[in-house]
Amino acid sequence: MTVLAVDIGGTKFAAAAVTPDGEILVRAEVPLRGPDSADAVLAEVVARVTAEVPEARIGGVGIGSAGPLDPVKGTVSPVNIPSWRGFPLVDALARMLPGRPVRLAGDAQCMALGEWWRGLPERERPRTLLGMVVSTGVGGGFVIDGVPYVGPTGNAGHIGHITVDPGGDACPCGGVGCVELLASGPSMVRWAAANGWTGPDARALAADAAAGHPVALAAFRRAADALATAILTASALVDLDHVVIGGGVAAAGPTLFDPLREAVARDAGMGFLRRLRVDRTSLDRDAGLFGAAALVLLAPQA
């Protein structure tokens, strides 16, 4: 069956019709137009897909959403969408496409599942994979033996809120010294600006780091060290085979991944940690859509 995959982000919504063999038949993306536009944007992005693929062909709906979320109740409360607090997203999509199964997981969990399903050849799929999104925030999700591990509340994988600097700043999440405070794009820009860099945004910071600007390079090394600590912590607990990273900061390519891999190799102690692979996404922005579709397509059949 063809699945409607929906990816709910902090600044835009995307949707696609995805076939069982992983073909995207049609894709649509609509930016949020303000804090109260989310309901209208959701309806618009779904309508754009169903205008191209008849509803009769759609057999299920998979959703990856920014959180926090409650997959049991089917509600979401994305931090950047204040009008959605406990929003019944599953019910909303069930009303748009009645009679279909609707499944919900976190956006980074879907990114991880999408990478596992479509980003790697079947013979190379690892038993344990961590997918990470390093962008405006830092999120993550686990896939273990082909199944996303979401935990009892549906929020497993919040690697951006592992403490890597116990004496560091307070995080909006309530913790202290979280990965997100060192490795997200906005955090990197703030640190660089406090240390004399004068560029406008994370993209400019990456360009300056690639050109050798010392403060920009230091910002990426600082982020890489924080990410490496979090990755090795997760790997020590879960015995990871593979980490795949996407998001805007990951688009810096070697500027991020060279110091990140160096830090992982430097700090990995036990032998099983030294076998860990760390790669950039091969699916870019479609990883979350593939993962949302896989929530339905790979689900055990009743």
Side-chain angles (χ1 to χ4, degrees), residues 132 134 136-139 158-185 187-188 190 222-223 225-230:
M132 296 180 67
V134 184
T136 305
V138 177
H158 271 76
I159 195 166
H161 298 288
I162 288 178
T163 295
V164 294
D165 182 10
D169 294 336
C171 180
C173 78
V176 173
C178 294
V179 175
E180 194 167 288
L181 295 177
L182 287 81
S184 71
S187 296
M188 293 168 66
R190 282 194 296 271
R222 182 173 179 265
D225 284 346
L227 291 169
T229 298

Side-chain angles (χ1 to χ4, degrees), residues 9 40 49 121 126 140 161 185 220 247 250-251 264:
V49 174
H161 298 288
F220 271 87
V264 169

Side-chain angles (χ1 to χ4, degrees), residues 152-270:
T153 70
N155 290 284
H158 271 76
I159 195 166
H161 298 288
I162 288 178
T163 295
V164 294
D165 182 10
D169 294 336
C171 180
C173 78
V176 173
C178 294
V179 175
E180 194 167 288
L181 295 177
L182 287 81
S184 71
S187 296
M188 293 168 66
V189 168
R190 282 194 296 271
W191 182 88
N195 286 273
W197 182 73
T198 57
D201 54 27
R203 184 173 297 179
L205 185 69
D208 281 356
H213 189 291
V215 173
L217 279 171
F220 271 87
R221 291 194 188 103
R222 182 173 179 265
D225 284 346
L227 291 169
T229 298
I231 287 167
L232 288 169
T233 299
S235 188
L237 291 171
V238 184
D239 193 8
L240 293 171
D241 295 310
H242 198 173
V243 177
V244 181
I245 304 176
V249 175
T255 302
L256 175 69
F257 283 91
D258 286 353
L260 175 56
R261 292 187 179 112
E262 289 170 8
V264 169
R266 179 193 69 217
D267 296 339
M270 293 175 285

Side-chain angles (χ1 to χ4, degrees), residues 6-8 62-71 75-76 103-114 131 133 139-142 148-150 153-158 287-289 291-292 295:
V6 181
D7 186 7
I8 304 296
I63 314 164
S65 176
L69 54 83
D70 185 332
T75 60
V76 301
R103 301 185 186 276
L104 168 69
D107 55 349
Q109 293 162 346
C110 286
M111 177 268 185
L113 184 58
V133 178
F142 294 106
Y149 177 73
V150 300
T153 70
N155 290 284
H158 271 76
L289 289 169
L295 293 175

